[in-house]
């Protein structure tokens, strides 16, 4: 082998090794990724701090698109935000949305980070007043009492019921709506009831022992959230905004029809409200 051939082989091997190593690196732990994610979160905070005291009542919307690498999780969160705007038109939205969708780097929303969530919750607790609403919306794959957490295509520690309970307690005793799009998500309502959360309402895509549908890579939103959006649009035609009971009843009808058409077991979406919750404030 000539010296030129040997150098070319060495260069080619170095390029291949570089590509292989690059594919194995974890961009989530790189300083560039973390720096961009922090910058996106700081921008989010500054945008909201500039207007957080402008008027009341306010709806503090914390959205967690926890399943990365596919579009439907972030799609669900953005639609949930639109749904709450229809049901609570008198409330001024203050959104904090985290999305794990991007595979190699955060795009226009910060990816989910427990420390960032805790900072957000501390801010909301400090600023929220009686008459305001807090919403925590999450979309992912799920199991009883647990939500999967994947940034891009890299699995992270799941978000379980204990994690959410700690954050709900940090929010204090003001009213909070928990919107969940995940298989078995009704289990969170059962857990919160056992834990005696009295001023929380839960909207969930499936009963605790059931799966929900529409969470495949080709989807831009799950069946439940699409049905919820359709129901809220259909019912938002009168002088009064649609209430959750009516929206959920119509969404269940829509989802049930789709499930029957595909011969799928019923997901049975759930609506639960704590015994001391203000039903008028929640627009139940």
């Amino acid at each position: 082998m000539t010296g030129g051939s040997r150098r070319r082989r060495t260069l080619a091997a170095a390029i291949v090794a570089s590509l292989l190593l690059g594919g194995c690196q974890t961009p989530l732990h790189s300083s560039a990724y973390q720096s961009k994610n922090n910058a996106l979160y700081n921008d989010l905070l500054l945008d909201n701090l500039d207007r957080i005291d402008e008027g009341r009542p306010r709806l503090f919307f914390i959205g967690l698109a926890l399943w990365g690498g596919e579009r439907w999780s972030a799609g669900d969160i953005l639609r949930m935000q639109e749904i709450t705007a229809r049901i609570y038109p008198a409330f001024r939205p203050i959104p904090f949305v985290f999305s794990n969708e991007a595979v190699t780097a955060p795009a226009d929303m910060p990816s989910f980070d427990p420390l960032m969530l805790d900072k957000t919750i501390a801010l909301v607790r400090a600023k929220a007043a009686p008459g305001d609403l807090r919403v925590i919306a999450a979309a992912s794959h799920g199991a009883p009492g647990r939500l999967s957490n994947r940034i891009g295509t890299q699995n992270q520690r799941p978000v379980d019921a204990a994690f959410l309970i700690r954050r709900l307690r940090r929010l204090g005793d003001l009213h909070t709506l928990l919107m969940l799009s995940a298989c078995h998500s009704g289990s969170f309502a059962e857990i919160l009831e056992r834990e005696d959360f009295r001023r929380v309402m839960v909207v969930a895509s499936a009963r605790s022992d059931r799966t929900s549908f529409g969470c495949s890579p080709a989807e831009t939103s799950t069946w439940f959230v699409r049905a919820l959006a359709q129901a809220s649009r259909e019912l938002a035609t009168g002088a009064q905004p649609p209430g959750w009971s009516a929206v959920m009843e119509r969404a269940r009808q829509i989802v049930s029809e789709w499930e029957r058409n595909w011969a799928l077991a019923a997901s049975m979406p759930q609506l639960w409200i704590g015994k001391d919750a203000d039903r008028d404030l929640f627009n139940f």
Side-chain angles (χ1 to χ4, degrees), residues 180 182-191 202 204-208 270:
L180 300 172
C183 294
H184 308 284
S185 51
S187 59
F188 285 86
E190 296 173 1
I191 293 166
V202 178
S205 63
R207 204 171 69 182
S208 61
Q270 299 290 297

Side-chain angles (χ1 to χ4, degrees), residues 201-223:
M201 189 168 82
V202 178
V203 173
S205 63
R207 204 171 69 182
S208 61
D209 60 343
R210 299 296 178 102
T211 58
S212 48
F213 305 100
C215 49
S216 66
E219 299 283 359
T220 58
S221 195
T222 60
W223 288 11

Side-chain angles (χ1 to χ4, degrees), residues 135-137 164 168 176-180 188 192 200-204:
V135 178
I136 298 178
L164 277 180
L168 286 170
T176 303
L177 167 62
L178 189 60
M179 301 177 71
L180 300 172
F188 285 86
L192 293 179
V200 174
M201 189 168 82
V202 178
V203 173

